Amino acid sequence: MNKMNKKCNMNKINKMKRLSITVMAALLLVLPAVTEGKAQANSGPVTEDLVGTKALEMAETLIDSYGASGVQYAIRNAGKVVLSGGLGVNETGKEVPVTKDTMFGIGSVSKMYVTAATMMLVDAGKVDIDQPLLKYIPEFKMADERYKQITPRMLMNHSAGLYGSHYKNSMLFDDNDTVNHDSLLENLRSERLKSDPGEYSVYANDGFQLLEILVERVSSMSYSEFLAQGIRSPLELTSTYTPLDDFDRSRLSPVRFPGFEGELPSETVNVIGTGGIYSTAEELTLFSEVLTGEHPDLLSEASVSAMQQPEYRKGVWVSDESNIFGYGLGWDSVDLAPFDDYGIKALTKGGDTVMYHSALIALPEKDISIALLTSGGSSILNTAAATNILLAYLKEIGDIAKIQPDKTFKDTVKKDMPYSLKAYSGLYGSAGSTLKITVSDGKVDLPDMMDGLIPAQTYVYTGDHEFTGKDGITVISFNEEKNGHTYVRVKSYLDFPGIGQSVIAYYEWQKLSVNQLSSAVASTWKERNEKTYYAVDEKINSLFYLSPALLMKKITFDKQTGYANGTKITDNNHAINVIEIPVMNGRDVTDLTFFQKEDIEYLHADGRTYVSEAAVKKVYTGPSSVISIPDSGNARWFKIGEGAADRTMTGDLPQGGGFAVYDENGVPVNVSAATGSRTAVLPKNGLIVFGGRAGDVFQITLGSK
């Protein structure tokens, strides 16, 4: 295995990010780790030659081809760890092992902890998950009277109708600031719902943050304290903590960023209920036994059963049965494919932070589980890899006779299309975008989907009201749902060479009506078209500065349709979300609100405030200058003009202050909170952002070219 001679497929990683809890761009992150292999079967022969080899093969592939730099995995059967190991590469590309005690962020697998915590309170008679959330959080309020119908159950099955996620200041370098948690209720006060509570399920991180607050209100203790007393202590966990716990941070897997020297400060995910827990693969499989009923002293059989019910079937949902999505309470799927093909019930939860990615699969009827954690990569890859390892184990112990081969597909054969299907031509949208779809002559041309995992192609009519792509793998149709909306349904087998296949069925787009604008409103929005707005209220030590596109909003206005960035324009300064897509493509929507302050235009969206590019001036080109943070505390953005290009900037930084420098393509040159460096060579046509506390002063010097 020569890691140095193999190129990581970064395009693959970029394609995964739409499915991530953190929406960060692909990061090739390196962490050292230690391999430890165990094979102590208690319910059948386990040989490392077979299952261990398969696990190592998956780990190698994740590192060689999909951008992971560290992999840790464990299988537990009937209470015993029967396989445990890992693999990693260091900053030079040299192979290093990963110990079973190395801690990773588990991202959204954390949702299973807050779900379990809530159900523990149910068992204690303190919570009824079908009562209004207001009963437990009286100060919860939204700008939509339907919020009074939201229940804890709806938070756990993603059907509350919330817009999705408040990410502002949620992920920070070595900083457990609770501002995101503390401001959530206030942020929700001004937001509407995108659907009737309970109408359909679509992934929503904010729901699990509300569950965290519920646990705190009902238990009269902090969430971290509740986890310590209710889960960590009874299970004797020694590697499962939250950012607010006191533990040895050196146990966290160190991470790196391409182009930056040395290790980055530790990642602190401060949305604990939705994604902030650290753990190990072995301890994650131990906790999974609570979720599958092996610890009735902690979680009752009734609560375990309730969590495993197919909650997603209660509302609008894509009709295909075999899928990697199918929400229970907390679980991403309670009917995970391809285990359903073997007659085996499988539960799964995946998770992604900026740095780490995780997958947990549990087979409740067999008391078997697997956890696979990585640095770099994506949870969908981890789930696919864990699936293959687990199938190999089931075959080894005789629970399945053979492993079924990947699906193969026949060439597409076009058929005559019914004329009535032409009526599905029109305007469609998903979270953040709109497009026009034309159905004509038995063909539909569609752009790439899932960030390129499904390529742009022409779909031809193949019968049964379906259109199939050229390779036969992806099938689309137009589905009219009971909520009155028409959706483009997509079913595809995602092929990950060396890892396997994942079958996914979901709704990609929703049909929309054209929104007629007055000439005055259209003129105002035309002025904003193609303009960029920059976030000013993200802390400068946020990990989001590693990918500045996440802190920018480029306005895309279409006068003919009356939409901008997938939102419906209502007047000169407002556009509202109208997307109501179940499963995943309707997640993390937002309204757009523009306002003026001191003759500068700002945008409020997704809980953040953005300043217009018109207010972003060129950085001063003299040998020295002073930059101060205003009373608002807003970060200050600057463009790098010709006079400053190729010169070395040095900043005298105040305590807690910092800067980030980017080239014209948005690639980070230096993020001071990540590197600790106070200098950067300024690239032509790049950007600089300074951030800190109100009143902070930066002394800046520019060297000569």
Side-chain angles (χ1 to χ4, degrees):
M1 301 174 295
N2 188 347
K3 304 294 181 295
M4 297 297 289
N5 292 332
K6 295 183 179 179
K7 181 179 180 180
C8 291
N9 187 346
M10 293 306 293
N11 288 332
K12 281 281 187 182
I13 307 307
N14 283 323
K15 293 171 184 177
M16 302 301 154
K17 292 296 103 179
R18 196 164 180 179
L19 298 181
S20 294
I21 179 176
T22 64
V23 300
M24 282 296 291
L27 306 174
L28 179 57
L29 302 161
V30 182
L31 81 158
V34 180
T35 261
E36 178 174 59
K38 294 184 188 176
Q40 301 173 356
N42 63 297
S43 58
V46 180
T47 66
E48 244 181 88
D49 287 340
L50 297 177
V51 181
T53 298
K54 172 60 73 172
L56 188 58
E57 175 189 325
M58 292 292 105
E60 291 171 355
T61 302
L62 288 169
I63 290 172
D64 292 346
S65 302
Y66 295 99
S69 55
V71 183
Q72 184 190 67
Y73 50 83
I75 296 178
R76 188 178 296 267
N77 186 340
K80 293 184 180 180
V81 175
V82 295
L83 184 72
S84 179
L87 185 68
V89 291
N90 65 16
E91 63 273 20
T92 68
K94 180 182 178 181
E95 289 182 21
V96 291
V98 161
T99 74
K100 67 185 182 65
D101 298 317
T102 301
M103 293 168 59
F104 290 72
I106 63 170
S108 285
V109 178
S110 303
K111 290 179 173 66
M112 299 312 304
Y113 290 78
V114 76
T115 302
T118 303
M119 299 307 289
M120 289 175 180
L121 294 173
V122 171
D123 291 341
K126 297 181 179 181
V127 170
D128 181 337
I129 62 173
D130 293 312
Q131 288 294 308
L133 182 63
L134 276 169
K135 180 177 180 179
Y136 309 106
I137 311 177
E139 65 270 45
F140 171 56
K141 187 176 182 180
M142 297 184 71
D144 187 322
E145 285 299 302
R146 294 177 294 176
Y147 83 94
K148 297 175 182 178
Q149 304 169 30
I150 295 174
T151 66
R153 179 189 296 274
M154 295 172 187
L155 302 179
M156 290 186 278
N157 67 20
H158 300 280
S159 71
L162 300 169
Y163 268 22
S165 308
H166 284 83
Y167 288 121
K168 186 174 79 173
N169 296 322
S170 61
M171 303 184 192
L172 307 174
F173 283 116
D174 200 19
D175 180 356
N176 59 7
D177 190 342
T178 61
V179 62
N180 185 287
H181 167 278
D182 300 340
S183 60
L184 178 63
L185 292 177
E186 182 61 31
N187 286 332
L188 289 173
R189 281 180 175 271
S190 61
E191 291 191 2
R192 302 176 303 111
L193 295 174
K194 60 188 172 190
S195 63
D196 290 338
E199 181 181 333
Y200 62 82
S201 294
V202 60
Y203 208 84
N205 285 315
D206 283 350
F208 293 81
Q209 290 302 100
L210 286 170
L211 288 173
E212 178 184 339
I213 295 173
L214 177 152
V215 171
E216 293 177 329
R217 296 289 192 275
V218 174
S219 69
S220 298
M221 63 179 74
S222 75
Y223 179 59
S224 295
E225 290 171 339
F226 186 93
L227 292 183
Q229 294 184 25
I231 295 176
R232 188 167 71 236
S233 180
L235 293 178
E236 299 181 352
L237 303 178
T238 61
S239 303
T240 301
Y241 296 98
T242 80
L244 295 177
D245 288 324
D246 183 16
F247 67 97
D248 181 4
R249 258 62 176 177
S250 68
R251 295 184 56 198
L252 294 174
S253 299
V255 287
R256 298 177 183 273
F257 186 78
F260 291 1
E261 293 184 2
E263 298 172 0
L264 273 63
S266 62
E267 177 193 61
T268 308
V269 179
N270 296 311
V271 281
I272 302 174
T274 199
I277 292 177
Y278 308 106
S279 192
T280 65
E282 288 194 12
E283 289 203 352
L284 197 49
T285 59
L286 178 55
F287 171 67
S288 76
E289 293 190 327
V290 175
L291 305 174
T292 55
E294 306 307 318
H295 291 271
D297 54 321
L298 298 183
L299 196 61
S300 72
E301 180 181 347
S303 288
V304 167
S305 177
M307 291 169 64
Q308 296 178 16
Q309 297 308 304
E311 293 279 324
Y312 66 97
R313 295 179 183 170
K314 294 180 177 180
V316 176
W317 194 261
V318 64
S319 58
D320 301 86
E321 291 297 323
S322 190
N323 203 347
I324 59 173
F325 289 110
Y327 302 127
L329 297 183
W331 295 106
D332 283 345
S333 177
V334 294
D335 304 297
L336 179 64
F339 294 94
D340 52 344
D341 292 338
Y342 299 87
I344 298 173
K345 182 177 180 63
L347 317 168
T348 190
K349 185 73 192 80
D352 300 88
T353 69
V354 175
M355 302 296 187
Y356 301 118
H357 311 273
S358 61
L360 172 67
I361 301 174
L363 311 181
E365 295 165 356
K366 295 182 177 295
D367 190 13
I368 297 173
S369 63
I370 183 172
L372 194 154
L373 313 179
T374 63
S375 171
S378 169
S379 63
I380 192 172
L381 289 169
N382 292 17
T383 301
T387 294
N388 276 298
I389 298 169
L390 193 51
L391 288 173
Y393 177 68
L394 293 173
K395 181 176 182 294
E396 184 67 17
I397 63 176
D399 278 14
I400 61 176
K402 64 178 182 178
I403 298 174
Q404 299 174 9
D406 287 345
K407 300 285 186 182
T408 57
F409 303 91
K410 298 179 180 179
D411 292 338
T412 301
V413 178
K414 184 181 177 183
K415 297 182 179 179
D416 292 335
M417 183 190 81
Y419 182 82
S420 60
L421 293 184
K422 291 174 64 69
Y424 288 114
S425 297
L427 176 66
Y428 287 77
S430 63
S433 65
T434 56
L435 82 161
K436 295 175 183 177
I437 293 178
T438 301
V439 184
S440 179
D441 192 29
K443 297 179 181 179
V444 181
D445 290 321
L446 294 178
D448 67 85
M449 294 177 275
M450 296 188 67
D451 288 345
L453 281 176
I454 301 174
Q457 58 187 310
T458 298
Y459 295 80
V460 300
Y461 186 72
T462 50
D464 296 327
H465 294 264
E466 292 183 334
F467 298 78
T468 304
K470 180 179 180 180
D471 54 12
I473 294 175
T474 304
V475 178
I476 70 157
S477 64
F478 297 89
N479 288 21
E480 297 179 13
E481 276 289 0
K482 57 186 177 183
N483 63 354
H485 290 305
T486 297
Y487 299 106
V488 176
R489 184 217 69 178
V490 177
K491 182 173 183 179
S492 186
Y493 285 83
L494 306 179
D495 186 24
F496 307 118
I499 298 293
Q501 289 179 338
S502 291
V503 59
I504 185 169
Y506 69 104
Y507 288 134
E508 175 76 25
W509 292 292
Q510 170 188 329
K511 194 172 187 184
L512 303 174
S513 299
V514 172
N515 177 35
Q516 296 292 337
L517 301 178
S518 69
S519 58
V521 171
S523 177
T524 299
W525 282 85
K526 183 179 179 181
E527 288 296 315
R528 299 183 180 121
N529 190 38
E530 299 299 311
K531 297 257 186 345
T532 300
Y533 292 72
Y534 299 86
V536 295
D537 50 1
E538 187 79 10
K539 293 184 71 172
I540 199 62
N541 61 341
S542 168
L543 275 79
F544 290 120
Y545 284 103
L546 293 174
S547 184
L550 300 172
L551 299 176
M552 301 176 189
K553 293 281 186 188
K554 186 174 183 179
I555 301 302
T556 304
F557 164 63
D558 185 345
K559 179 181 178 180
Q560 292 183 335
T561 64
Y563 287 80
N565 296 67
T567 58
K568 182 179 181 180
I569 296 169
T570 57
D571 60 32
N572 283 343
N573 294 316
H574 299 87
I576 61 172
N577 170 69
V578 291
I579 298 301
E580 300 181 13
I581 305 178
V583 191
M584 64 178 192
N585 255 34
R587 64 175 286 181
D588 296 343
V589 298
T590 188
D591 297 334
L592 304 179
T593 300
F594 293 88
F595 63 96
Q596 295 277 335
K597 186 175 182 181
E598 298 178 354
D599 296 326
I600 296 174
E601 184 170 70
Y602 292 87
L603 164 65
H604 185 77
D606 56 41
R608 289 192 180 99
T609 299
Y610 300 78
V611 67
S612 169
E613 67 177 37
V616 178
K617 308 301 183 183
K618 290 182 179 180
V619 69
Y620 180 65
T621 58
S624 65
S625 60
V626 172
I627 294 173
S628 60
I629 301 299
D631 292 342
S632 63
N634 286 349
R636 298 188 63 187
W637 291 82
F638 294 89
K639 298 174 184 177
I640 300 171
E642 182 72 33
D646 301 322
R647 296 170 66 182
T648 298
M649 182 189 77
T650 301
D652 184 3
L653 309 181
Q655 182 71 31
F659 65 83
V661 177
Y662 308 99
D663 70 15
E664 61 182 329
N665 297 313
V667 176
V669 173
N670 184 19
V671 177
S672 64
T675 66
S677 172
R678 299 184 298 110
T679 67
V681 176
L682 302 185
K684 184 178 179 180
N685 299 324
L687 287 166
I688 310 174
V689 56
F690 294 90
R693 295 168 295 189
D696 277 352
V697 175
F698 297 78
Q699 301 287 339
I700 304 300
T701 60
L702 283 182
S704 58
K705 292 188 179 181

